[in-house]
């Protein structure tokens, strides 16, 4: 009998808000957050128009707000952020995830968001996301991995579970960044928890 793997996108699927914008605002406060968006708006707009790589635009945002922060301080910020923002989790999404875990299935959150702030929201699930680079225990402002978006979600899942013919994959997503993962799955759910 095949094992069952459930792969969930995070932002927009398990949450009702974008966690990147939320943590930037939480960390920087309104004034610095808006100033950062204004300064980086050319890259943000070009990314939204498909004229600039969205991973590089996100990395610029991350660098502006977090470069030079000690990794321990960043991880503590991520834990506090998750504790204060549990309201953004979609109850039906979390219920589906926990039901899959209770049945003994493997559950993975495959997200373009940074692993450090996603993991504290759902500590019992494995998180595969964008990883950040650290040197001498300090954030460099750059990403260690490719942005976990689009085809990269499939690549990262296959790196974990390469024996594709030996498992049934159920995937949940809500955006164009999830389409490759949904197409790769045996069972796909697009915007499954939006009735809340």
């Amino acid at each position: 009998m095949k094992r069952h793997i459930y792969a969930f996108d995070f932002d927009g699927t398990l949450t009702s808000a974008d966690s990147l914008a939320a943590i930037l605002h939480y960390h920087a406060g309104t004034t610095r957050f808006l100033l950062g968006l204004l300064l980086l708006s050319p890259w943000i707009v070009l990314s939204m128009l498909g004229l600039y790589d969205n991973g590089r635009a996100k990395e610029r945002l991350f660098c502006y707000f977090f470069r030079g922060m000690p990794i321990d301080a960043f991880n503590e910020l991520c834990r506090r952020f998750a504790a204060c923002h549990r309201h953004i989790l979609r109850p039906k999404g979390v219920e589906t995830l926990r039901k899959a875990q209770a049945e003994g299935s493997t559950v993975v959150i495959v997200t373009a968001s940074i692993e450090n702030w996603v993991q504290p929201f759902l500590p019992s699930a494995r998180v595969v996301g964008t990883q950040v680079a650290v040197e001498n225990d300090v954030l460099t402002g750059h990403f260690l991995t490719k942005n976990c978006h689009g085809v990269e979600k499939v690549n990262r899942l296959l790196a974990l579970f390469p024996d594709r013919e030996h498992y049934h994959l159920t995937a949940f997503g809500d955006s164009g960044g999830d389409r490759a993962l949904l197409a790769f799955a045996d069972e796909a759910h697009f915007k499954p928890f939006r009735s809340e």
Side-chain angles (χ1 to χ4, degrees):
M1 186 175 178
K2 287 185 177 182
R3 69 189 293 194
H4 200 156
I5 297 175
Y6 285 80
F8 293 83
D9 168 56
F10 187 67
D11 291 285
T13 300
L14 289 177
T15 73
S16 59
D18 179 74
S19 65
L20 173 60
I23 196 170
L24 294 181
H25 188 231
Y26 176 77
H27 167 61
T30 301
T31 302
R32 185 165 175 249
F33 171 66
L34 292 176
L35 178 61
L37 291 184
L38 181 63
L39 289 172
L40 297 167
S41 60
W43 291 278
I44 295 169
V45 171
L46 287 172
S47 173
M48 293 171 69
L49 294 173
L51 300 174
Y52 188 74
D53 181 72
N54 77 325
R56 293 191 65 188
K58 185 166 76 174
E59 190 175 40
R60 283 180 178 271
L61 272 170
F62 184 83
C63 187
Y64 177 84
F65 287 99
F66 294 116
R67 184 175 64 180
M69 177 180 277
I71 185 61
D72 289 345
F74 179 65
N75 285 332
E76 178 57 28
L77 169 72
C78 293
R79 285 189 287 271
R80 285 188 283 108
F81 168 70
C84 293
H85 287 75
R86 299 202 65 76
H87 61 277
I88 71 172
L89 291 172
R90 295 185 188 273
K92 287 184 183 176
V94 174
E95 180 185 349
T96 302
L97 183 149
R98 290 189 173 145
K99 183 178 177 184
Q101 289 177 317
E103 292 170 351
S105 298
T106 300
V107 172
V108 186
I109 298 171
V110 188
T111 175
S113 283
I114 307 301
E115 290 182 2
N116 305 60
W117 70 66
V118 176
Q119 189 69 71
F121 277 97
L122 296 158
S124 64
R126 183 163 191 170
V127 175
V128 176
T130 304
Q131 297 175 357
V132 295
V134 177
E135 287 182 7
N136 300 316
D137 298 323
V138 171
L139 295 171
T140 67
H142 299 292
F143 294 159
L144 184 65
T145 61
K146 289 183 179 178
N147 187 36
C148 191
H149 177 270
V151 175
E152 185 62 16
K153 290 196 173 194
V154 176
N155 294 339
R156 296 286 296 280
L157 194 68
L158 279 172
L160 275 181
F161 310 107
D163 56 335
R164 181 62 184 90
E165 66 278 7
H166 294 135
Y167 58 85
H168 180 94
L169 178 64
T170 300
F172 301 82
D174 79 303
S175 71
D178 302 313
R179 292 195 185 278
L181 179 63
L182 294 172
F184 183 67
D186 299 293
E187 182 182 342
H189 300 272
F190 186 66
K191 298 185 179 181
F193 313 119
R194 289 295 180 90
S195 60
E196 298 175 323

